[in-house]
Each structure stands twice: as structure tokens, then as C-alpha cells.
Amino acid sequence: MLQLTPAKKGIVTALTMMTSSICTFYLFHLPDNGNSQYLILSEFIGGMLWVLLSFGKENPGSSFKAYFNTGFKAFVMITFLMVVYAYVFYKLNPQIMEEGIRMNDELIRKEGNKTAAEIAANDIQLRNIYMPMMLSLTTIKYLFLGALSTAITGGLLSQKK
């Protein structure tokens, strides 16, 4: 029988999340940062539960440290793969960045306190920081959510007698 390690379960979870993201964006034409994110985050939490519940079943009476170590192996793998996916996704879809810059320009124009040259300079700056910003946000989001879900689930499961 194939033994799925926490890291392999993380890979399966990340592939599921990527598939959902691709389907919601390309098939259903939903925005990349809209309510469809709840589906992807639910899959992330479900993957973490899968990892931790199966670990608990195979290793009854484990400590919080053992649960967290197991969850860590999974959520780090998921985070890494989702950051790589985000990089490829945003490179393949530059219209997302352009739309964000256009919306930012509208907000600045409504404020009325910037010249056209300042707005153009702001556009250049946004283009330069867009990819690092998106990758940083993706990394922080999944590391935080992974640590939180692992700590809560691991804490609950390690208390079971």
C-alpha cells in the first residue's frame, strides 16, 4: 500500500487547490481574489485536517509537538507550491496587475491631489513591486493559516484521551 507522508499529502492538497483556482478563474471567470478564495482556503484547511487526523489515527496519544511537526511538513509544502503557482499564474495573467493599477489610478484621481506625472510614477512603482508583493502575501497567508490550523487541531487532538 502506498504510504502518503505529510509532505506528499501537502502536494496532493496543493494540487487540489491549484485545480480549483484554475477552474474558478478560467472556466467560471470568477475574479482571482473574490469569494472563490473561500473554496481554496477550505481545501487548505481540509488538507491540514486530513494530515493531522490521519497522523492521530496512526499515532494515538501523540504530543502537541508531534502534531505540529507533522502539520508543519504539510503546510510548508503547500505554501511552497502555492507560491510557485502564484508566480506562474500572475505571469500568465498580466491583465490582473493592469486592472489593479487602473483601479488604483481611479482612486488617486478621485482624491484630486496628484498630478498626471505623479500618477504615472506611481504606476511604474506598482509594476515594480506587484510580483514581490503578491508572492509575499501568498507566503504569509498560507504560513499563518497553516500554523494556526495546525496549532488548533494539534492542540485539540493531543488533548484527547
Side-chain angles (χ1 to χ4, degrees):
M1 186 167 131
L2 176 66
Q3 180 63 26
L4 286 178
T5 64
K8 288 179 184 173
K9 289 177 182 177
I11 292 169
V12 170
T13 301
L15 291 174
T16 302
M17 293 165 64
M18 288 177 206
T19 302
S20 293
S21 177
I22 290 167
C23 288
T24 58
F25 187 77
Y26 290 109
L27 295 179
F28 300 114
H29 306 289
L30 297 174
D32 65 305
N33 59 355
N35 288 338
S36 62
Q37 286 297 302
Y38 293 122
L39 169 65
I40 294 157
L41 293 175
S42 297
E43 291 170 346
F44 179 83
I45 299 293
M48 294 307 300
L49 289 172
W50 174 39
V51 168
L52 295 169
L53 290 172
S54 62
F55 174 78
K57 188 175 179 182
E58 295 165 4
N59 304 286
S62 294
S63 67
F64 173 79
K65 181 180 175 182
Y67 278 105
F68 196 85
N69 186 37
T70 301
F72 181 81
K73 292 172 186 174
F75 77 72
V76 165
M77 182 61 68
I78 295 168
T79 300
F80 172 72
L81 292 173
M82 291 308 291
V83 168
V84 170
Y85 169 76
Y87 178 81
V88 172
F89 179 79
Y90 288 115
K91 282 293 186 182
L92 292 175
N93 295 288
Q95 74 276 12
I96 295 170
M97 177 183 68
E98 295 302 325
E99 177 64 17
I101 290 171
R102 187 192 62 72
M103 290 172 54
N104 187 59
D105 285 353
E106 284 180 20
L107 290 174
I108 292 172
R109 282 190 180 92
K110 283 180 185 177
E111 290 177 5
N113 57 358
K114 300 280 186 200
T115 66
E118 290 173 322
I119 293 172
N122 186 53
D123 288 356
I124 292 168
Q125 184 179 10
L126 281 175
R127 279 186 178 75
N128 289 335
I129 67 167
Y130 187 80
M131 188 61 76
M133 180 180 66
M134 295 310 292
L135 297 180
S136 297
L137 289 172
T138 301
T139 302
I140 291 167
K141 174 175 64 176
Y142 288 117
L143 287 178
F144 177 76
L145 191 57
L148 182 64
S149 63
T150 299
I152 291 170
T153 307
L156 291 172
L157 294 175
S158 66
Q159 298 303 313
K160 275 188 160 179
K161 302 279 181 188

